[in-house]
């Protein structure tokens, strides 16, 4: 259950409405999800978050589908059910297959296991893995 009311379009401030308009334009969809509706109570945070997300998730060196899959992996690690669902849907919309999703989950699970083992064992980082800051 939300800790704030999810604002309808009719309840938006002028500033929040402008951000929603941009979300719709960029995503080429009339749908604005509950995350943005919750953030709409604070238009400054809404705009900052949307602008940052647009920048980070824009096409770049990483393929947009890969970016969504990474978002899913981090969301799993952080236990954010909402982000797991929304970014899994987005990754699927960008072409993630069932086989890719299965591999992603296997990698996330394996990383979680080995991360805990190496932490519990206090394994020092191998010198060969360290990058010289001068390089």
């Amino acid at each position: 259950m939300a800790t704030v009311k999810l604002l309808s379009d009719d309840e938006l401030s002028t500033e929040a409405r402008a951000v929603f308009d941009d979300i719709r334009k960029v995503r080429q969809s009339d749908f604005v999800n509950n995350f943005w509706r919750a953030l709409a109570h604070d238009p400054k945070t809404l705009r900052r978050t949307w602008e940052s997300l647009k920048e980070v998730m824009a096409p770049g060196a990483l393929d947009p589908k890969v970016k969504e899959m990474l978002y899913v992996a981090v969301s799993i690690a952080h236990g954010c059910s909402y982000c797991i669902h929304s970014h899994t849907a987005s990754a699927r919309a960008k072409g993630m297959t069932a086989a890719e999703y299965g591999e992603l989950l296997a990698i996330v699970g394996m990383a979680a296991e080995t991360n805990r083992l190496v932490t519990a064992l206090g394994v020092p980082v191998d010198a060969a893995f360290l990058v010289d800051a001068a390089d």
Side-chain angles (χ1 to χ4, degrees):
M1 177 173 276
T3 62
V4 296
K5 182 179 189 289
L6 303 178
L7 297 181
S8 70
D9 286 359
D10 294 336
E11 298 171 304
L12 298 175
S13 67
T14 303
E15 298 86 358
R17 184 176 312 285
V19 175
F20 275 38
D21 288 346
D22 192 48
I23 290 170
R24 288 182 168 114
K25 177 183 170 193
V26 169
R27 292 187 169 170
Q28 298 177 1
S29 172
D30 285 334
F31 179 69
V32 176
N33 68 43
N34 287 341
F35 175 66
W36 303 113
R37 292 185 180 285
L39 280 180
H41 287 278
D42 181 355
K44 184 176 178 180
T45 299
L46 172 68
R47 177 168 300 286
R48 178 182 49 78
T49 305
W50 171 242
E51 293 298 329
S52 294
L53 187 77
K54 278 196 312 185
E55 183 177 333
V56 169
M57 298 304 283
L62 293 174
D63 178 85
K65 178 179 77 174
V66 171
K67 288 184 176 192
E68 290 295 344
M69 292 172 73
L70 287 166
Y71 215 116
V72 171
V74 172
S75 298
I76 292 168
H78 285 257
C80 180
S81 178
Y82 186 89
C83 293
I84 291 167
H85 283 82
S86 67
H87 289 279
T88 296
S90 186
R92 285 180 173 141
K94 288 177 172 52
M96 180 181 71
T97 65
E100 288 173 324
Y101 187 62
E103 283 190 31
L104 170 67
L105 295 180
I107 292 165
V108 170
M110 182 54 43
E113 179 182 346
T114 58
N115 287 183
R116 285 190 300 273
L117 288 169
V118 79
T119 298
L121 294 168
V123 179
V125 176
D126 297 78
F129 298 155
L130 301 176
V131 175
D132 184 358
D135 289 341

